[in-house]
Every structure is written in structure tokens, then in C-alpha cells.
Amino acid sequence: MPMPAQVLAAMLRADPAGPRVTAYDDATGERIELSAKVLATWVAKAANLLQDDAQAGPGSRVGLDLPPHWRALYWALAAWSVGAEVAVGAAAAGAEVLVTTAPAAAAAASGYAVLVTPAALARSNPQTPVGVIDEARELATFADRVDPYAAPAPADPALDPGDGTAVLAYRAVVDGTRAQDWGPAPRVLLTGDLHRHLLDALAAWAADGSVVLLAHPTGEQSARLAAERVTVRPS
């Protein structure tokens, strides 16, 4: 099966302009749509921050203390692009690099920390602790193209779910069986925790598909999902 970075590269070749991520946040009223090209730009900026500023790469761990959100998708892809292991859930706090939405967690981190502001148009976060990277302010300064210093090996750890289950290697993090079951170009509703979101997103993209995320959904969602042409709702 392909590695995560290869999945992103394949999307760029197949259709750089079509939607690959559609995200709603009913708490703010936001709707965000990312093409493969836009997603790749976010990934490149985050990946350059990770390898140039945080010295992340094969053998290091990037903890994502993030809710299921479109920003979590590009941070995971960025970590995988430079060969690092992504740690979520309870495993995130012990990583050398912590990416979090919580100012207190960022301040308490023992290593490199990034504070993420979920709002799409955020330009800075006044709650950023001293010594912590303000993603809203700093990420835009990094390059739109990434050239990884080292590539991960297929057996290298890729995803620690933080729930006591096995760490997934790079060769196993993209679930080809699920992608085949969903058919070509599925439109997948992401559900569950961040670990589940990441695996389902990779499987959808590997099948040349796209994903829909609903943050803080209010009310009945059938009409919205029909309008978004969702074809897969993983149980």
C-alpha cells in the first residue's frame, strides 16, 4: 500500500482542483473546502516548520492534541511527509513535538510546542504562551513546497492511537481493503475520534475520494449530507 505522502502526491496528479476536504463547524458557522492543491500547501508549510524549526523526522514523534478537525488532517500529513510518527489521544502529551489547541498544554510541554487556533481566518492567538509557536501567526512564513530530508521506511512507526492498541507502521497506515470496499472516488463522512478520522481520510484519499467533517453539528444532518453527496458513513 502507498505511504501517506504518496497518497497526497497521487491526489495532486489526479485532480489538484477538486474538493478533497469539506469541513463544517456549526459553532462558528464556518464551511471550509480544500482542494488537493490547497491541502498540499498547508501540509508543506507545516512540514517545513516541523523539519526546519522543530527538527522532526524519522525517529521522532509529533503529538496531535487536536480535536477532529481539518487542521488536524494537514498536521498529520505534514508529520508523515517528513517521516515522523504521529501520536494522538493519550500518547500525544509525551511527544517531542506537541501540536495543540490548549494554551495550558502548550505551556506545559517539555519540548517544542505549537498552539493551533481552529478558526479559519485567525491571524494570531493572544493566548500563546511564551516560547510556544503561534501557528496562526507563524505558519504562513514557511515555504509552500517541502523537500523532506529523509524518507520513512515502510516498517517505521506512523501512528500511535494512544488507546493501548498497536502502533501502525507506515506500510499499514493506509487501509487498502477499506478503500476498495468503498468503491472509486468515495465521499466519506468522518466520524469518531481523531485516530479514526485520520485512518478514514487516508483510505478515502487512497481511493481518489474526499472527506466531509462535521464539528459541533446541530440538528438533523441528512439534508446537508445529501447536498454534500456523501456516499460512505463508516460505522
Side-chain angles (χ1 to χ4, degrees):
M1 289 308 299
M3 306 274 228
Q6 293 171 321
V7 170
L8 179 58
M11 288 196 291
L12 285 168
R13 290 193 301 268
D15 181 7
R20 296 295 184 166
V21 178
T22 304
Y24 288 88
D25 189 337
D26 286 352
T28 62
E30 291 180 332
R31 179 186 184 275
I32 303 295
E33 192 165 85
L34 306 180
S35 66
K37 183 176 181 180
V38 172
L39 178 61
T41 297
W42 283 102
V43 170
K45 288 180 177 296
N48 282 316
L49 180 151
L50 288 174
Q51 70 173 6
D52 291 340
D53 212 45
Q55 282 76 58
S60 60
R61 284 162 58 90
V62 176
L64 301 186
D65 177 33
L66 302 172
H69 193 272
W70 62 274
R71 293 194 185 277
L73 297 179
Y74 70 72
W75 275 107
L77 285 171
W80 289 325
S81 294
V82 302
E85 177 186 358
V86 171
V88 300
E96 296 97 318
V97 179
L98 179 67
V99 183
T100 181
T101 54
S110 59
Y112 190 98
V114 179
L115 183 66
V116 171
T117 306
L121 298 180
R123 292 295 177 263
S124 66
N125 190 332
Q127 298 184 65
T128 305
V130 174
V132 171
I133 298 298
D134 180 355
E135 186 217 39
R137 183 188 297 275
E138 301 295 338
L139 195 63
T141 66
F142 288 86
D144 293 352
R145 173 188 170 88
V146 61
D147 294 307
Y149 300 150
D156 285 349
L159 179 60
D160 183 345
D163 59 3
T165 58
V167 173
L168 291 174
Y170 269 86
R171 64 185 170 213
V173 75
V174 180
D175 189 340
T177 300
R178 179 172 293 182
Q180 290 175 358
D181 290 344
W182 289 345
R187 182 81 160 148
V188 179
L189 175 66
L190 299 186
T191 60
D193 59 14
L194 181 56
H195 169 226
R196 175 80 174 275
H197 270 59
L198 297 179
L199 293 180
D200 285 351
L202 285 174
W205 294 330
D208 197 25
S210 59
V211 300
V212 175
L213 299 86
L214 305 179
H216 312 110
T218 58
E220 215 283 323
Q221 298 294 317
S222 296
R224 173 183 284 174
L225 299 182
E228 291 292 352
R229 302 183 303 280
V230 169
T231 61
V232 178
R233 304 184 191 188
S235 56

